[in-house]
Amino acid sequence: MARHRSGQPQIPLKDARAQATMRRAGRIVALALAKVGEALRPGITTGELDALAEQTIRGLGAVPTFLGYQGYPATACLSVNQEVVHGIPGPRPLREGDILGVDLGATVEGWVADGAFTFPVGVVSAETTRLLEAGQGALAAGIAMARPGNRIRDIGAAIEGFTKAQGYTVVRDLCGHGVGRSMHEPPQVPNYPAPGGEQVLSAGMALAIEPMVNAGGAGVRILNDGWTFVTLDGSLSVHFEHTVLIQPEGPEIITLLR
Ligand code: MF3
Ligand code: CO
């Protein structure tokens, strides 16, 4: 991989045409997340929700980015309760009071957008609602730092600062990433101010910012299925992600319905 003088990998810039195509992919991600959110109810299985996500993405003329990625078997990652990310859809029925992290990608003409949202299933506890809000706040705090002249580390510092102030922890073993021609491009975007985060952001970069916030400790482990990350202590975890284009005037979120 090409490296520039600081020893960090080059961050590919997106021209106007690439950005326009990524916006189309981003809108499809947002629509698919909304569809899954609308269909959510106690009793529905994660497999049924995955089928809906796939139909929605394909119906809008895009390709599900995750399907087949490093052998991943589904369109969406659907992570329940103490599952952090990369939960594999299947026959599991959701129950009232669960939370469901929905993470999916759409590819349009070879350009990728990636997004995630954690939904309550039916009525959840006040404490769970507070965790969901903290996760969304952490993502918003990170996105606000995605502007030219700031550094990668500023994003993680804002995410971690916000999360700690809420009394929660951010997962350190998984991070956000550049996104574009492939789902994972340089740079890595840690959710805390990690070493190596001094790269300066500039207009034309595209980042997938995706904090995972745990109610308990920050530790995670991977299950025997080789994919599903869960919290070490069994505490609840939430995950929110947007793909962001860095514009001269600041962040443009492309995985939102506008
Ligand atoms: N949003 C996740 C990520 O950026 C999704 C990848 S999961 C996989 O890493 F299934 F596609 F591998
Ligand atoms: Co991602």
Side-chain angles (χ1 to χ4, degrees), residues 66 86 103 114-116 175-177 179 183-184 208-210 239 241 243:
F66 296 4
H86 302 174
D103 185 0
D114 186 7
C175 61
H177 50 91
V179 55
M183 174 159 59
H184 295 137
I209 302 175
E210 52 178 317
H239 177 216
E241 176 177 23
T243 295

Side-chain angles (χ1 to χ4, degrees), residues 130-144:
R130 200 175 77 79
L131 177 66
L132 289 165
E133 286 170 358
Q136 282 186 272
L139 174 57
I143 290 172

Side-chain angles (χ1 to χ4, degrees), residues 11 24 28 37 39 41 62 90 102 115 123 137 141 161 165 174 183 189 199 202-203:
I11 302 175
R24 288 166 55 202
I28 292 169
R41 51 174 170 73
V102 181
V123 177
L174 294 153
M183 174 159 59
V189 184
Q199 275 171 300
S202 59

Side-chain angles (χ1 to χ4, degrees), residues 1-4 8-14 152 177-179 185-189 198-207 246:
M1 170 167 296
R3 292 183 179 260
H4 66 89
Q8 302 285 352
Q10 292 277 5
I11 302 175
L13 299 182
K14 279 72 188 178
I152 289 289
H177 50 91
V179 55
E185 290 184 353
Q188 291 199 354
V189 184
E198 62 280 340
Q199 275 171 300
V200 177
L201 303 174
S202 59
M205 292 178 183
L207 302 179
I246 301 182

Side-chain angles (χ1 to χ4, degrees), residues 147-187:
R147 46 179 60 253
N150 279 356
R151 295 172 188 271
I152 289 289
R153 178 182 286 125
D154 296 323
I155 296 172
I159 289 171
E160 187 181 59
F162 182 93
T163 303
K164 276 188 172 167
Q166 301 291 310
Y168 299 126
T169 63
V170 289
V171 173
R172 292 185 164 226
D173 294 359
L174 294 153
C175 61
H177 50 91
V179 55
R181 273 286 180 201
S182 36
M183 174 159 59
H184 295 137
E185 290 184 353

Side-chain angles (χ1 to χ4, degrees), residues 20 29 40 47 57 59 62-63 91 94 97 104 125 127 149 174 196 203 213-214 222 227 238:
V29 167
L40 252 189
I57 291 170
V63 172
L94 296 171
L104 50 84
S125 71
E127 180 53 26
L174 294 153
V213 172
N214 294 354
I222 192 162
W227 283 102
V238 299

